[in-house]
Amino acid sequence: MDLTKAAVLRELLTGTELAGRTTSFAHSLRRFTTRVGGLLLFGPPEDEPWHLTAHLDDELHRAGVDDVRPSLVRWSPPADAPPHLAIGLDRLRDSGRGESLLVVAEQAPPDALLERIDDVRRRGTTIFSIAGGSKDLADLSHESLVPELLVPATFGSGWVSRPIGEDPEAADPVDHDEPDHGRHAVPEDTLTALRDAVAGFEMTQHLVSLAVADDDITQSAWRRRLRTFIERLGGEPA
């Protein structure tokens, strides 16, 4: 899903725990990263968070936020890598207060990753994580997002579908006090697919990317989202 579609979905998710938690998480990243260039991203050797780093950089650049630009920390960058992809583990040893480490690990993180995070935390760096439920990683994190826990099993259970062109007033009334298992009910496999998409790692990262670039993280949430939404649809600042 691209960021424009994610922006629309963010509006649709307004008022849900997923939207609230991802926005709060992203704003914490901004507030606790007080050193220029102090936002670091890190992950397992086989799944380094390239895409989230790129999305965060694009959104922060679009918003004109130059003091919290992200850097991807890599386990073994090749010698001929461009500068922004050549940041190795030495950067973690240089981290400290005023900086944030965002760890992305969908699967259980290896011990080597946890050890690095523990070292960084001891240096005073704030640890954030988007994870798949690892208790060890959660214990090391000051703030953590577990996407699958943010979308309840009842997500979408009240949704109904009707044929295109059908007049809602002429349709049979729906008893909202009881589950609709008839022709109007959205199929369970469709709801499962929607839950998986909304709660997935990719979607959570998109929502964080969008929220981290909010122009005023102290502005009321609905005004902030409305302004960003208008900018994206119109192509010009509101």
Side-chain angles (χ1 to χ4, degrees):
M1 178 175 287
D2 61 48
L3 284 172
T4 300
K5 292 179 181 177
V8 174
L9 183 57
R10 187 185 181 200
E11 298 306 309
L12 296 176
L13 291 171
T14 298
T16 66
E17 184 178 6
L18 177 62
R21 285 284 292 115
T22 51
T23 296
S24 174
F25 182 89
H27 291 182
S28 293
L29 273 176
R30 287 274 299 274
R31 288 196 301 271
F32 284 91
T33 307
T34 58
R35 186 181 299 181
V36 175
L39 177 55
L40 310 175
L41 278 83
F42 193 43
E46 69 281 0
D47 192 20
E48 294 176 326
W50 300 69
H51 290 99
L52 179 55
T53 305
H55 287 320
L56 286 171
D57 190 63
D58 288 344
E59 290 301 301
L60 289 167
H61 177 72
R62 180 189 64 80
V65 180
D66 295 321
D67 55 341
V68 193
R69 304 295 288 276
S71 298
L72 174 65
V73 178
R74 305 182 64 189
W75 290 83
S76 299
D80 59 349
H84 69 289
L85 295 177
I87 302 171
L89 297 176
D90 287 346
R91 178 65 180 86
L92 297 180
R93 288 190 283 269
D94 294 335
S95 64
R97 297 188 181 279
E99 297 188 319
S100 298
L101 180 69
L102 173 53
V103 181
V104 182
E106 185 169 4
Q107 306 301 323
D111 290 342
L113 176 62
L114 295 173
E115 291 170 2
R116 298 282 182 179
I117 297 170
D118 185 50
D119 289 342
V120 170
R121 177 173 171 134
R122 292 175 185 275
R123 289 181 170 82
T125 301
T126 304
I127 309 299
F128 295 86
S129 64
I130 301 176
S134 166
K135 183 179 184 304
D136 291 333
L137 181 53
D139 288 344
L140 288 171
S141 303
H142 294 93
E143 188 165 351
S144 181
L145 281 179
V146 181
E148 65 180 18
L149 299 182
L150 299 179
V151 179
T154 55
F155 175 79
S157 59
W159 294 355
V160 297
S161 61
R162 303 185 190 280
I164 295 176
E166 179 178 286
D167 183 356
E169 295 184 0
D172 295 335
V174 177
D175 184 353
H176 294 287
D177 293 330
E178 297 292 336
D180 185 350
H181 299 297
R183 68 185 181 90
H184 294 308
V186 176
E188 184 58 35
D189 57 348
T190 300
L191 291 177
T192 298
L194 286 169
R195 279 193 289 266
D196 290 344
V198 171
F201 252 65
E202 181 182 4
M203 175 53 60
T204 300
Q205 292 175 58
H206 279 323
L207 293 174
V208 170
S209 298
L210 291 166
V212 81
D214 286 337
D215 58 344
D216 182 357
I217 60 176
T218 62
Q219 188 179 29
S220 62
W222 74 269
R223 290 181 181 276
R224 181 175 57 245
R225 288 195 297 268
L226 178 61
R227 173 172 178 151
T228 300
F229 187 57
I230 292 174
E231 288 179 0
R232 285 186 167 278
L233 290 181
E236 298 180 358

